Amino acid sequence: MEQKHILLGHGSGGKLTHDLIEHIFLKHFGNPKLDKLGDSAVFEISGKRLAFTTDSFVVDPLFFPAANIGKLAIAGTVNDLAVAGAVPKYLSAAFILEEGLPIETLEKVVVAMAEEAKNANIQIVTGDTKVVDRGKCDKIFINTAGVGFVEEAFCNLDNASIKVGDKIIINGSIGDHGMAVMAARNQLNIQAPVQSDCASLNGLIQSLKAFAEHIHFMRDATRGGLATVASEICADKDFGVELYEDKIPVNTAVSGMCELLGFDPLYVANEGKVVLVVDGDQADEILEKIKQHQFGKQAAIIGEIVSGKAGRCMLQTSIGGHRVVGMLAGEQLPRIC
Amino acid sequence: MEQKHILLGHGSGGKLTHDLIEHIFLKHFGNPKLDKLGDSAVFEISGKRLAFTTDSFVVDPLFFPAANIGKLAIAGTVNDLAVAGAVPKYLSAAFILEEGLPIETLEKVVVAMAEEAKNANIQIVTGDTKVVDRGKCDKIFINTAGVGFVEEAFCNLDNASIKVGDKIIINGSIGDHGMAVMAARNQLNIQAPVQSDCASLNGLIQSLKAFAEHIHFMRDATRGGLATVASEICADKDFGVELYEDKIPVNTAVSGMCELLGFDPLYVANEGKVVLVVDGDQADEILEKIKQHQFGKQAAIIGEIVSGKAGRCMLQTSIGGHRVVGMLAGEQLPRIC
């Protein structure tokens, strides 16, 4: 490790996070299941494949346009299971609470979790509560872990099955979550009509079951944004990724806010967006199916897998040029989820 | 809820924690699996029963005699699975790190986790890392969730099978963990030879498989101590619990420290102690078996299930009197795990 101390960037989901995972976590914990670094670990029991995942949520502020830490804690873990091709079933919920937190605030968060659990058709079956003294955490931190059953249909969901000619689809606009949280932060007095896209995507993903064998990769584009996922798709591969800037949906308020604040929407976190890599000849049909879902109305084919640019992700800009897209290098927006 | 704000006692594992669970968590999340409030949730898949549990660790300080937050985070979750009669298999590990934390400190904790994972014969298969700005958490918080397979042998592991005449066994001395953490806290300049009992108990519990059908209840006596577990055994039941004070193992250094500081060892947290309720006529044999294990050398039969004292836990004191033992009411030692 180059750094001697933890930086905010180590939690960005980008390059520094990858460094930390490689040099500390994989170094000591390494095993074949963990080494895959999927959104979920997958293991077999009695002939069924089970997916297992975990996520902690430290978003600041707790409440922001269209969602809050509670909804996020359910949707985030549900999505990590869903993109592994699993039907999410059971979640755990562990709370770290700050002494002095109004119980009313906790209850609002818990109600939001219960509602989103219902939306996502999962059950919270086990939990834990810790309280730390005032000033030793920030109001509420939540961890959710989850288990689900991997659908047989998603048999080709494997990095290794991605090939030149595959198309890249996203189910809607990027950057909404990050800018909604940003707008809610007190220090910024922005009254932009931005709303978090926070949503459980298991329903949308399940609706693609008939096309499952043509889906080679799914990942929810959270921390690090679309750019980081696109970079991961081709990292260490003998193919490249080409994204078309003018095809990537960005809501006007989000692009305006990004411009104003100097953010690149490609790197801004989403909480209801899945990136899919699918067989090229099935892409249009899959896109149509996604568009039928409430969380897929703005879906688009935004890029493809290309030969000759091994390991590189390029953006074809709307003015006709090309620029290299890498993983998020530092940290744009700490505590976005 | 009587309280309007979160108190440290809401994380004690005692009465206030139970209030919070009942009035907030069960109220909104309630479902048959969660309502059981076991150490693990248990559900069936393909004819196999799976146990699933979660725990967050916020212990202060991170390092204390004979263990640290990393070892604790593995052993704690392993034990929650093991007392559900499960063989722990896979754990998740989610970190919340404070900006500025020395990476050397993180690595020490991670190495301890890897070592204890090896001891407990489990794999860490999925994880997450969040970083919060300086002053917004206290160095390192860890959440581990875990899954394991419930052993068929433990077929009578059910509160409902506890009956009058059953004996209560503990695998060793109480209070060691709580006093070790207390001794390590900087503000107390105590140089007592106390060591945390932190240990993964799945090996010990597995060694009892031949007696499994005679074991009606197991719980690790962590926050809230032995007293809280003993109270839970008979809560809302038509029988009582009687504990024999002079049979309960307490190490001299621990009892001395408790006396000095005004703690009752019955309420002090343990991290390597399991309380078992077993068939009375099998208790001696089970005790002998436990004593053969490295974590059971000081094991003892410390009480029994009695009639005529419905729902009450009584301590037969060493001077011949009786006193009622209730759940931990406030908070003795915040951030003990």
Side-chain angles (χ1 to χ4, degrees):
Chain A
M1 300 274 310
E2 249 177 81
Q3 287 78 24
K4 297 263 171 272
H5 294 87
I6 291 292
L7 307 175
L8 284 170
H10 284 117
S12 68
K15 204 183 157 314
L16 284 170
T17 305
H18 281 252
D19 283 354
L20 192 65
I21 290 172
E22 188 178 328
H23 294 291
I24 302 290
F25 298 124
L26 288 188
K27 179 177 164 195
H28 298 292
F29 295 158
N31 60 61
K33 290 183 181 67
L34 183 66
D35 296 352
K36 285 194 174 177
L37 294 181
D39 288 283
S40 295
V42 173
F43 47 87
E44 201 155 316
I45 85 161
S46 314
K48 278 217 173 190
R49 286 196 304 153
L50 217 73
F52 178 36
T53 191
T54 186
D55 244 331
S56 293
F57 298 86
V58 298
V59 65
D60 171 42
L62 298 178
F63 299 89
F64 45 86
N68 58 59
I69 191 172
K71 181 174 182 175
L72 199 58
I74 301 298
T77 289
V78 162
N79 292 346
D80 279 345
L81 292 170
V83 298
V87 178
K89 290 289 285 182
Y90 302 114
L91 261 62
S92 63
F95 297 83
I96 299 175
L97 306 175
E98 187 183 8
E99 182 191 8
L101 176 82
I103 286 178
E104 201 187 336
T105 305
L106 174 64
E107 190 161 17
K108 267 190 208 166
V109 169
V110 167
V111 166
M113 291 177 80
E115 281 173 8
E116 190 59 20
K118 209 174 160 191
N119 288 343
N121 198 26
I122 59 95
Q123 285 187 326
I124 296 164
V125 293
T126 187
D128 179 55
T129 309
K130 294 292 187 308
V131 179
V132 298
D133 23 328
R134 214 178 279 260
K136 295 299 183 185
C137 85
D138 195 4
K139 299 178 203 78
I140 305 181
F141 297 154
I142 303 176
N143 176 281
T144 48
V147 293
F149 305 119
V150 180
E151 289 269 16
E152 298 288 335
F154 288 98
C155 53
N156 289 323
L157 203 57
D158 183 347
N159 285 1
S161 67
I162 301 174
K163 60 183 192 310
V164 172
D166 281 0
K167 301 282 188 189
I168 299 170
I169 300 178
I170 193 163
N171 64 312
S173 60
I174 61 169
D176 301 80
H177 174 74
M179 287 303 109
V181 172
M182 202 65 186
R185 287 200 180 150
N186 290 332
Q187 55 268 48
L188 283 175
N189 201 4
I190 290 173
Q191 296 294 330
V194 282
Q195 300 220 304
S196 169
D197 60 342
C198 177
S200 294
L201 299 175
N202 52 331
L204 168 65
I205 290 170
Q206 281 303 304
S207 78
L208 303 177
K209 214 170 145 179
F211 299 95
E213 63 176 307
H214 302 291
I215 300 173
H216 301 151
F217 174 90
M218 289 191 283
R219 180 153 289 177
D220 50 337
T222 57
R223 286 182 291 175
L226 171 59
T228 298
V229 174
S231 305
E232 285 170 345
I233 289 172
C234 58
D236 306 319
K237 292 285 156 66
D238 57 2
F239 53 74
V241 161
E242 182 139 332
L243 295 178
Y244 320 123
E245 188 174 32
D246 59 358
K247 303 284 187 199
I248 300 171
V250 190
N251 288 327
T252 318
V254 168
S255 63
M257 205 172 147
C258 279
E259 211 158 298
L260 197 70
L261 298 170
F263 288 109
D264 179 347
L266 276 181
Y267 289 92
V268 176
N270 312 282
E271 288 294 343
K273 292 295 141 37
V274 55
V275 178
L276 303 97
V277 178
V278 306
D279 276 330
D281 58 1
Q282 298 285 320
D284 289 332
E285 272 189 82
I286 293 174
L287 178 66
E288 283 318 303
K289 187 71 191 168
I290 293 174
K291 282 184 162 185
Q292 288 167 24
H293 194 277
Q294 61 167 324
F295 299 134
K297 291 197 169 67
Q298 285 183 278
I301 296 174
I302 57 166
E304 63 188 302
I305 306 298
V306 295
S307 61
K309 288 171 185 161
R312 283 168 76 190
C313 175
M314 305 293 294
L315 183 76
Q316 205 183 88
T317 64
S318 39
I319 54 165
H322 273 88
R323 68 173 169 96
V324 176
V325 172
M327 266 184 213
L328 180 58
E331 172 60 297
Q332 281 199 318
L333 283 167
R335 299 182 60 191
I336 205 68
C337 62
Chain B
M1 298 276 308
E2 248 177 82
Q3 286 77 25
K4 297 264 171 274
H5 294 87
I6 291 292
L7 307 175
L8 284 170
H10 284 116
S12 68
K15 203 182 159 314
L16 284 169
T17 306
H18 282 251
D19 283 355
L20 192 66
I21 290 172
E22 188 178 329
H23 294 292
I24 303 289
F25 298 123
L26 288 187
K27 179 178 165 193
H28 298 292
F29 295 158
N31 60 61
K33 289 182 183 67
L34 184 66
D35 297 352
K36 286 196 174 175
L37 294 180
D39 289 283
S40 296
V42 173
F43 47 87
E44 201 155 315
I45 84 163
S46 315
K48 277 218 175 191
R49 286 196 304 153
L50 218 73
F52 177 36
T53 191
T54 185
D55 244 330
S56 293
F57 298 86
V58 298
V59 65
D60 171 42
L62 298 178
F63 299 88
F64 45 87
N68 58 60
I69 191 173
K71 182 174 182 177
L72 199 57
I74 301 298
T77 290
V78 162
N79 292 346
D80 280 345
L81 293 169
V83 298
V87 177
K89 290 289 284 182
Y90 303 115
L91 261 61
S92 64
F95 297 83
I96 299 176
L97 306 175
E98 186 183 9
E99 182 190 9
L101 176 81
I103 285 177
E104 201 187 336
T105 305
L106 175 63
E107 190 162 17
K108 266 189 209 166
V109 168
V110 166
V111 166
M113 292 177 79
E115 280 174 7
E116 191 58 20
K118 208 174 160 193
N119 288 342
N121 197 24
I122 58 96
Q123 285 186 327
I124 296 164
V125 293
T126 187
D128 179 55
T129 309
K130 295 290 186 309
V131 180
V132 298
D133 22 330
R134 215 178 279 260
K136 296 298 182 186
C137 85
D138 195 4
K139 301 177 204 77
I140 306 181
F141 297 154
I142 304 176
N143 176 283
T144 48
V147 294
F149 306 119
V150 179
E151 290 268 15
E152 298 288 336
F154 288 97
C155 53
N156 289 322
L157 203 56
D158 184 347
N159 285 1
S161 67
I162 300 174
K163 60 183 190 312
V164 171
D166 281 0
K167 300 283 187 187
I168 301 171
I169 301 178
I170 194 163
N171 64 313
S173 61
I174 61 169
D176 302 79
H177 174 73
M179 287 304 107
V181 172
M182 202 64 187
R185 287 201 180 148
N186 290 332
Q187 56 267 48
L188 282 175
N189 201 4
I190 290 173
Q191 297 293 331
V194 281
Q195 300 220 303
S196 169
D197 61 342
C198 177
S200 294
L201 298 176
N202 52 331
L204 168 65
I205 290 171
Q206 280 304 303
S207 78
L208 303 177
K209 215 170 146 181
F211 300 94
E213 63 176 307
H214 302 292
I215 300 172
H216 301 151
F217 174 91
M218 289 191 282
R219 180 153 290 175
D220 50 337
T222 57
R223 287 182 290 176
L226 171 60
T228 298
V229 174
S231 305
E232 285 170 345
I233 289 172
C234 58
D236 305 320
K237 292 285 157 63
D238 57 2
F239 53 74
V241 161
E242 181 140 331
L243 296 178
Y244 320 123
E245 188 174 32
D246 59 358
K247 303 285 187 198
I248 301 171
V250 189
N251 288 328
T252 318
V254 169
S255 63
M257 205 173 148
C258 279
E259 210 157 299
L260 198 70
L261 298 170
F263 288 110
D264 180 345
L266 276 181
Y267 289 93
V268 176
N270 312 283
E271 288 294 342
K273 291 296 141 34
V274 56
V275 177
L276 304 97
V277 178
V278 306
D279 277 329
D281 58 1
Q282 298 286 320
D284 289 331
E285 272 189 82
I286 294 174
L287 178 66
E288 284 317 304
K289 187 72 191 167
I290 293 174
K291 283 185 161 183
Q292 288 168 23
H293 195 277
Q294 61 167 326
F295 299 134
K297 291 197 170 67
Q298 284 183 276
I301 297 174
I302 57 165
E304 63 187 303
I305 306 297
V306 294
S307 61
K309 288 172 186 160
R312 284 168 76 191
C313 176
M314 304 293 294
L315 182 77
Q316 206 183 88
T317 63
S318 39
I319 52 164
H322 273 88
R323 68 175 170 96
V324 176
V325 172
M327 266 184 212
L328 181 57
E331 171 59 295
Q332 281 199 318
L333 283 167
R335 299 183 60 193
I336 204 69
C337 64

